[in-house]
Amino acid sequence: MSTLSFTKANAQTAAPAGDGPKVVFTDQSHDFGKITEGTQAKFSFKFTNTGNQPLVITNVSTPCGCTTPTYTHDPVAPGKTGEIAVNYNSTGRGGEFNKVLTVTTNMTANKDVTIMIKGEVIPKPTQPVATPAPATK
């Protein structure tokens, strides 16, 4: 009998299914296409909190120092929007890139969500070294 009471008490205090914050991104990936080396490529990932409690982004981790995210640390109310701005520094990097960023939230299930940027860095043409003209006699 006490087990049944305990189960009922837990059911009453536990949050109903679907409660809590929920992040939904407009786009979870962005392709910069071809960019010239040295470009600071920027993109803002927009999202909505479709849950019924405030959403908090606690961290956005990147795979390397070439990718820098900025985001609001304030809670995003239900139905409101926010964004994660990502800057990719292509200086000194050539070729294709594919970077996955992990967004850590306060969601009750699946706290981590991934977003991705990709593209191709076209190296800057190298300037030929000027050679002095031969001396005339």
Side-chain angles (χ1 to χ4, degrees):
M1 183 87 166
S2 64
T3 305
L4 182 59
S5 297
F6 179 73
T7 305
K8 274 186 166 180
N10 282 349
Q12 291 172 354
T13 58
D19 272 0
K22 183 175 181 188
V23 64
V24 175
F25 284 90
T26 304
D27 295 300
Q28 280 189 256
S29 66
H30 179 72
D31 187 348
F32 287 110
K34 294 182 180 194
I35 59 175
T36 304
E37 179 184 352
T39 298
Q40 299 290 319
K42 298 176 183 179
F43 184 76
S44 289
F45 290 93
K46 300 196 184 321
F47 63 86
T48 302
N49 177 4
T50 62
N52 62 1
Q53 294 178 8
L55 171 73
V56 177
I57 295 178
T58 57
N59 190 39
V60 178
S61 60
T62 62
C64 66
C66 61
T67 308
T68 309
T70 56
Y71 58 95
T72 180
H73 295 276
D74 296 332
V76 177
K80 298 298 181 184
T81 61
E83 68 180 31
I84 299 171
V86 178
N87 182 60
Y88 177 75
N89 181 355
S90 66
T91 302
R93 294 172 174 79
E96 293 184 0
F97 65 92
N98 187 358
K99 305 294 180 184
V100 177
L101 292 81
T102 302
V103 180
T104 303
T105 71
N106 68 327
M107 293 189 299
T108 52
N110 301 323
K111 290 182 182 286
D112 291 343
V113 179
T114 58
I115 55 178
M116 183 187 78
I117 58 169
K118 66 180 183 175
E120 183 179 359
V121 177
I122 307 301
K124 283 185 179 177
T126 57
Q127 296 293 329
V129 178
T131 55
T136 58
K137 294 186 180 185

PDB file of all heavy atoms in Angstrom, residues 43-59:
ATOM      1  N   PHE A  43      27.827  34.029 -39.335  1.00  0.00           N
ATOM      2  CA  PHE A  43      26.455  33.589 -39.528  1.00  0.00           C
ATOM      3  C   PHE A  43      25.772  33.527 -38.167  1.00  0.00           C
ATOM      4  O   PHE A  43      26.391  33.149 -37.178  1.00  0.00           O
ATOM      5  CB  PHE A  43      26.397  32.209 -40.190  1.00  0.00           C
ATOM      6  CG  PHE A  43      24.995  31.750 -40.486  1.00  0.00           C
ATOM      7  CD1 PHE A  43      24.290  32.275 -41.560  1.00  0.00           C
ATOM      8  CD2 PHE A  43      24.367  30.820 -39.676  1.00  0.00           C
ATOM      9  CE1 PHE A  43      22.992  31.877 -41.823  1.00  0.00           C
ATOM     10  CE2 PHE A  43      23.069  30.409 -39.934  1.00  0.00           C
ATOM     11  CZ  PHE A  43      22.376  30.937 -41.013  1.00  0.00           C
ATOM     12  N   SER A  44      24.490  33.900 -38.130  1.00  0.00           N
ATOM     13  CA  SER A  44      23.716  33.834 -36.890  1.00  0.00           C
ATOM     14  C   SER A  44      22.675  32.738 -36.994  1.00  0.00           C
ATOM     15  O   SER A  44      21.826  32.763 -37.886  1.00  0.00           O
ATOM     16  CB  SER A  44      23.018  35.167 -36.606  1.00  0.00           C
ATOM     17  OG  SER A  44      23.969  36.135 -36.238  1.00  0.00           O
ATOM     18  N   PHE A  45      22.761  31.775 -36.087  1.00  0.00           N
ATOM     19  CA  PHE A  45      21.773  30.707 -35.985  1.00  0.00           C
ATOM     20  C   PHE A  45      20.645  31.215 -35.097  1.00  0.00           C
ATOM     21  O   PHE A  45      20.857  31.527 -33.931  1.00  0.00           O
ATOM     22  CB  PHE A  45      22.394  29.451 -35.362  1.00  0.00           C
ATOM     23  CG  PHE A  45      23.370  28.757 -36.257  1.00  0.00           C
ATOM     24  CD1 PHE A  45      24.725  29.051 -36.188  1.00  0.00           C
ATOM     25  CD2 PHE A  45      22.939  27.811 -37.174  1.00  0.00           C
ATOM     26  CE1 PHE A  45      25.633  28.409 -37.007  1.00  0.00           C
ATOM     27  CE2 PHE A  45      23.851  27.170 -38.005  1.00  0.00           C
ATOM     28  CZ  PHE A  45      25.193  27.470 -37.927  1.00  0.00           C
ATOM     29  N   LYS A  46      19.447  31.312 -35.662  1.00  0.00           N
ATOM     30  CA  LYS A  46      18.300  31.805 -34.918  1.00  0.00           C
ATOM     31  C   LYS A  46      17.510  30.614 -34.371  1.00  0.00           C
ATOM     32  O   LYS A  46      17.393  29.584 -35.027  1.00  0.00           O
ATOM     33  CB  LYS A  46      17.432  32.668 -35.818  1.00  0.00           C
ATOM     34  CG  LYS A  46      18.225  33.864 -36.347  1.00  0.00           C
ATOM     35  CD  LYS A  46      17.371  34.935 -36.912  1.00  0.00           C
ATOM     36  CE  LYS A  46      18.132  36.069 -37.522  1.00  0.00           C
ATOM     37  NZ  LYS A  46      19.300  36.539 -36.911  1.00  0.00           N
ATOM     38  N   PHE A  47      16.981  30.790 -33.148  1.00  0.00           N
ATOM     39  CA  PHE A  47      16.214  29.718 -32.531  1.00  0.00           C
ATOM     40  C   PHE A  47      15.019  30.289 -31.780  1.00  0.00           C
ATOM     41  O   PHE A  47      14.971  31.486 -31.470  1.00  0.00           O
ATOM     42  CB  PHE A  47      17.086  28.885 -31.581  1.00  0.00           C
ATOM     43  CG  PHE A  47      17.627  29.637 -30.404  1.00  0.00           C
ATOM     44  CD1 PHE A  47      16.881  29.777 -29.237  1.00  0.00           C
ATOM     45  CD2 PHE A  47      18.880  30.216 -30.449  1.00  0.00           C
ATOM     46  CE1 PHE A  47      17.383  30.476 -28.149  1.00  0.00           C
ATOM     47  CE2 PHE A  47      19.391  30.910 -29.360  1.00  0.00           C
ATOM     48  CZ  PHE A  47      18.635  31.044 -28.212  1.00  0.00           C
ATOM     49  N   THR A  48      14.057  29.408 -31.488  1.00  0.00           N
ATOM     50  CA  THR A  48      12.876  29.751 -30.710  1.00  0.00           C
ATOM     51  C   THR A  48      12.764  28.777 -29.554  1.00  0.00           C
ATOM     52  O   THR A  48      13.036  27.583 -29.723  1.00  0.00           O
ATOM     53  CB  THR A  48      11.598  29.662 -31.586  1.00  0.00           C
ATOM     54  OG1 THR A  48      11.745  30.547 -32.699  1.00  0.00           O
ATOM     55  CG2 THR A  48      10.349  30.042 -30.804  1.00  0.00           C
ATOM     56  N   ASN A  49      12.362  29.270 -28.410  1.00  0.00           N
ATOM     57  CA  ASN A  49      12.053  28.396 -27.279  1.00  0.00           C
ATOM     58  C   ASN A  49      10.597  27.994 -27.432  1.00  0.00           C
ATOM     59  O   ASN A  49       9.697  28.783 -27.182  1.00  0.00           O
ATOM     60  CB  ASN A  49      12.276  29.126 -25.947  1.00  0.00           C
ATOM     61  CG  ASN A  49      11.887  28.262 -24.755  1.00  0.00           C
ATOM     62  OD1 ASN A  49      11.519  27.104 -24.885  1.00  0.00           O
ATOM     63  ND2 ASN A  49      11.983  28.853 -23.574  1.00  0.00           N
ATOM     64  N   THR A  50      10.357  26.760 -27.882  1.00  0.00           N
ATOM     65  CA  THR A  50       8.992  26.269 -28.081  1.00  0.00           C
ATOM     66  C   THR A  50       8.460  25.552 -26.841  1.00  0.00           C
ATOM     67  O   THR A  50       7.363  25.009 -26.879  1.00  0.00           O
ATOM     68  CB  THR A  50       8.919  25.328 -29.303  1.00  0.00           C
ATOM     69  OG1 THR A  50       9.746  24.197 -29.059  1.00  0.00           O
ATOM     70  CG2 THR A  50       9.323  26.046 -30.578  1.00  0.00           C
ATOM     71  N   GLY A  51       9.227  25.567 -25.768  1.00  0.00           N
ATOM     72  CA  GLY A  51       8.788  24.933 -24.521  1.00  0.00           C
ATOM     73  C   GLY A  51       7.925  25.870 -23.701  1.00  0.00           C
ATOM     74  O   GLY A  51       7.489  26.925 -24.168  1.00  0.00           O
ATOM     75  N   ASN A  52       7.700  25.465 -22.441  1.00  0.00           N
ATOM     76  CA  ASN A  52       6.851  26.277 -21.574  1.00  0.00           C
ATOM     77  C   ASN A  52       7.599  26.815 -20.346  1.00  0.00           C
ATOM     78  O   ASN A  52       6.969  27.286 -19.406  1.00  0.00           O
ATOM     79  CB  ASN A  52       5.604  25.495 -21.144  1.00  0.00           C
ATOM     80  CG  ASN A  52       5.950  24.254 -20.349  1.00  0.00           C
ATOM     81  OD1 ASN A  52       7.115  23.964 -20.087  1.00  0.00           O
ATOM     82  ND2 ASN A  52       4.935  23.498 -19.968  1.00  0.00           N
ATOM     83  N   GLN A  53       8.935  26.735 -20.376  1.00  0.00           N
ATOM     84  CA  GLN A  53       9.772  27.312 -19.327  1.00  0.00           C
ATOM     85  C   GLN A  53      10.953  28.014 -19.987  1.00  0.00           C
ATOM     86  O   GLN A  53      11.301  27.696 -21.129  1.00  0.00           O
ATOM     87  CB  GLN A  53      10.262  26.218 -18.371  1.00  0.00           C
ATOM     88  CG  GLN A  53       9.154  25.572 -17.564  1.00  0.00           C
ATOM     89  CD  GLN A  53       9.661  24.468 -16.666  1.00  0.00           C
ATOM     90  OE1 GLN A  53      10.864  24.264 -16.525  1.00  0.00           O
ATOM     91  NE2 GLN A  53       8.737  23.742 -16.050  1.00  0.00           N
ATOM     92  N   PRO A  54      11.573  28.961 -19.296  1.00  0.00           N
ATOM     93  CA  PRO A  54      12.702  29.688 -19.887  1.00  0.00           C
ATOM     94  C   PRO A  54      13.839  28.753 -20.305  1.00  0.00           C
ATOM     95  O   PRO A  54      14.166  27.796 -19.597  1.00  0.00           O
ATOM     96  CB  PRO A  54      13.146  30.629 -18.773  1.00  0.00           C
ATOM     97  CG  PRO A  54      11.924  30.818 -17.931  1.00  0.00           C
ATOM     98  CD  PRO A  54      11.216  29.497 -17.973  1.00  0.00           C
ATOM     99  N   LEU A  55      14.429  29.062 -21.451  1.00  0.00           N
ATOM    100  CA  LEU A  55      15.555  28.304 -22.004  1.00  0.00           C
ATOM    101  C   LEU A  55      16.833  29.067 -21.688  1.00  0.00           C
ATOM    102  O   LEU A  55      16.907  30.275 -21.896  1.00  0.00           O
ATOM    103  CB  LEU A  55      15.401  28.166 -23.520  1.00  0.00           C
ATOM    104  CG  LEU A  55      16.598  27.582 -24.268  1.00  0.00           C
ATOM    105  CD1 LEU A  55      16.696  26.079 -24.001  1.00  0.00           C
ATOM    106  CD2 LEU A  55      16.486  27.858 -25.748  1.00  0.00           C
ATOM    107  N   VAL A  56      17.835  28.348 -21.192  1.00  0.00           N
ATOM    108  CA  VAL A  56      19.127  28.959 -20.908  1.00  0.00           C
ATOM    109  C   VAL A  56      20.202  28.191 -21.674  1.00  0.00           C
ATOM    110  O   VAL A  56      20.284  26.962 -21.576  1.00  0.00           O
ATOM    111  CB  VAL A  56      19.449  28.932 -19.395  1.00  0.00           C
ATOM    112  CG1 VAL A  56      20.832  29.520 -19.133  1.00  0.00           C
ATOM    113  CG2 VAL A  56      18.392  29.672 -18.604  1.00  0.00           C
ATOM    114  N   ILE A  57      20.982  28.918 -22.457  1.00  0.00           N
ATOM    115  CA  ILE A  57      22.137  28.310 -23.111  1.00  0.00           C
ATOM    116  C   ILE A  57      23.291  28.486 -22.140  1.00  0.00           C
ATOM    117  O   ILE A  57      23.651  29.608 -21.783  1.00  0.00           O
ATOM    118  CB  ILE A  57      22.423  28.968 -24.470  1.00  0.00           C
ATOM    119  CG1 ILE A  57      21.261  28.681 -25.410  1.00  0.00           C
ATOM    120  CG2 ILE A  57      23.745  28.466 -25.042  1.00  0.00           C
ATOM    121  CD1 ILE A  57      21.367  29.301 -26.757  1.00  0.00           C
ATOM    122  N   THR A  58      23.839  27.367 -21.695  1.00  0.00           N
ATOM    123  CA  THR A  58      24.896  27.421 -20.695  1.00  0.00           C
ATOM    124  C   THR A  58      26.289  27.413 -21.306  1.00  0.00           C
ATOM    125  O   THR A  58      27.245  27.847 -20.674  1.00  0.00           O
ATOM    126  CB  THR A  58      24.761  26.266 -19.693  1.00  0.00           C
ATOM    127  OG1 THR A  58      24.768  25.022 -20.402  1.00  0.00           O
ATOM    128  CG2 THR A  58      23.463  26.389 -18.899  1.00  0.00           C
ATOM    129  N   ASN A  59      26.406  26.925 -22.554  1.00  0.00           N
ATOM    130  CA  ASN A  59      27.723  26.887 -23.194  1.00  0.00           C
ATOM    131  C   ASN A  59      27.558  26.590 -24.684  1.00  0.00           C
ATOM    132  O   ASN A  59      26.615  25.927 -25.093  1.00  0.00           O
ATOM    133  CB  ASN A  59      28.589  25.799 -22.555  1.00  0.00           C
ATOM    134  CG  ASN A  59      30.026  25.872 -23.016  1.00  0.00           C
ATOM    135  OD1 ASN A  59      30.596  26.944 -23.177  1.00  0.00           O
ATOM    136  ND2 ASN A  59      30.626  24.716 -23.241  1.00  0.00           N
TER     137      ASN A  59
END
